[in-house]
Amino acid sequence: MAHFLCTVDADWVPGSGAGLAALLRLFDEAGLKATLFATGRFCLAYPDLIRSAVRSGHEIGVHGWEHPMPRFRAENYRFTPLHARRAWLLQATRAVADVVGRAPRAFRAPFLWTDAATFGLLEDLGYTIDSSVPARRFDGLLGVVNHLDYFRAPLAPYHPDRERPARRGTSPVLEIPPSAWLLPLNMSTLRFVGLRGTMRVTRLVAKCSPVVNFYCHPWEFVEPSAMEFPPGTPPRHTRSVGPQWLRPLQAFVETVRSLGYQCRTISEVAACASW
């Protein structure tokens, strides 16, 4: 069975709640159940939106505490000391649990920067699913995601090795990688290369994995003047965004579904096969 994951990374960008509200309306109209990876601060700022998402059947995971910019001096789950990562993750987990009413079990690292120590933290804190390993992705010399050690990681869901997360192993945490084939399968790609190019990426991913894991951000659907982007935000994130991108996203979802993909939450994908 082919599974389609529509995931939303709710970074802490004041004003971006309007983007999530628009996405929830789109999902309701499409009958689509999504997975929302929310930062702790986003949850605390927009608790009613998060609870509305839960009532509609969407799943809530954790995307760190704040996800500020720039990546090298901010909340980084790959290179910062382990005690700092634990503090961020505990703070974010409590915030999401307080809003949702139950402990989250899925995590996606800001910037997709993760390592074996972070997987150990997730295991210690009771997480069962991660979606941070950027398999088959390379953003170029000036890009954000250029971890060559993860490039050859499996695209299909797998249990990582506890020492080398890019390899299969015995970790109880199930990795469901965000899909990519050099280009990430996300809203930025849809905005810059269009539906045809994004579907080419989708078909390449589908040759290696029964799961297509697409992601977008609420701020991509809000006028830039209505938001407060943190210092250090790349210019491509503050230009060419707004509600006009809801229709292309809808067209992409409809095209993927026409190929026979079933829309699932990340926990549903984890439960429907023995990965």
Side-chain angles (χ1 to χ4, degrees):
M1 182 179 293
H3 309 286
F4 175 61
L5 277 171
C6 187
T7 60
V8 181
D9 290 1
D11 310 344
W12 172 234
V13 179
S16 63
L20 179 58
L23 284 170
L24 293 179
R25 290 192 294 271
L26 186 154
F27 296 156
D28 284 346
E29 292 169 5
L32 184 154
K33 303 306 179 188
T35 299
L36 170 61
F37 290 101
T39 58
R41 288 200 66 183
F42 188 99
C43 269
L44 296 179
Y46 301 107
D48 292 341
L49 270 177
I50 298 297
R51 294 184 185 117
S52 175
V54 173
R55 288 194 298 271
S56 295
H58 305 298
E59 181 173 359
I60 312 299
V62 170
H63 195 39
W65 166 242
E66 189 173 29
H67 195 337
M69 299 285 181
R71 64 189 183 279
F72 295 116
R73 297 194 300 273
E75 189 178 348
N76 187 310
Y77 288 83
R78 183 173 169 93
F79 294 122
T80 50
L82 193 59
H83 67 85
R85 300 185 221 179
R86 180 181 289 275
W88 291 323
L89 190 51
L90 281 171
Q91 194 173 15
T93 301
R94 289 168 184 154
V96 173
D98 286 347
V99 171
V100 174
R102 59 179 178 269
R105 289 293 175 258
F107 177 74
R108 176 173 286 161
F111 311 109
L112 306 183
W113 283 53
T114 190
D115 67 1
T118 292
F119 272 91
L121 273 180
L122 296 177
E123 187 175 337
D124 290 345
L125 296 177
Y127 282 81
T128 58
I129 303 170
D130 180 76
S131 185
S132 306
V133 172
R136 300 296 193 279
R137 178 170 173 179
F138 187 77
D139 287 359
L141 296 178
L142 299 178
V144 173
V145 181
N146 292 318
H147 313 314
L148 291 179
D149 49 337
Y150 289 133
F151 184 80
R152 295 182 64 84
L155 275 175
Y158 70 102
H159 288 275
D161 183 271
R162 282 189 166 99
E163 299 298 324
R164 302 188 68 178
R167 296 183 177 183
R168 296 182 185 275
T170 60
S171 171
V173 178
L174 179 68
E175 176 61 34
I176 303 181
S179 297
W181 196 275
L182 291 181
L183 292 176
L185 191 57
N186 63 13
M187 195 64 207
S188 291
T189 295
L190 184 57
R191 287 191 288 122
F192 289 107
V193 307
L195 178 60
R196 182 176 296 181
T198 305
M199 287 308 303
R200 290 189 67 181
V201 176
T202 302
R203 291 186 175 95
L204 288 168
V205 170
K207 292 180 179 180
C208 298
S209 174
V211 178
V212 167
N213 187 356
F214 173 89
Y215 72 91
C216 61
H217 304 84
W219 52 260
E220 292 180 280
F221 306 97
V222 182
E223 291 293 343
S225 60
M227 296 180 288
E228 299 176 22
F229 283 99
T233 302
R236 68 181 181 278
H237 290 180
T238 60
R239 295 196 302 259
S240 188
V241 298
Q244 69 271 18
W245 293 108
L246 289 165
R247 184 168 293 181
L249 174 60
Q250 182 180 22
F252 170 72
V253 170
E254 291 173 352
T255 302
V256 171
R257 288 175 123 175
S258 73
L259 299 177
Y261 281 83
Q262 299 296 313
C263 295
R264 310 284 189 191
T265 66
I266 203 163
S267 288
E268 289 172 340
V269 169
C272 67
S274 297
W275 306 107

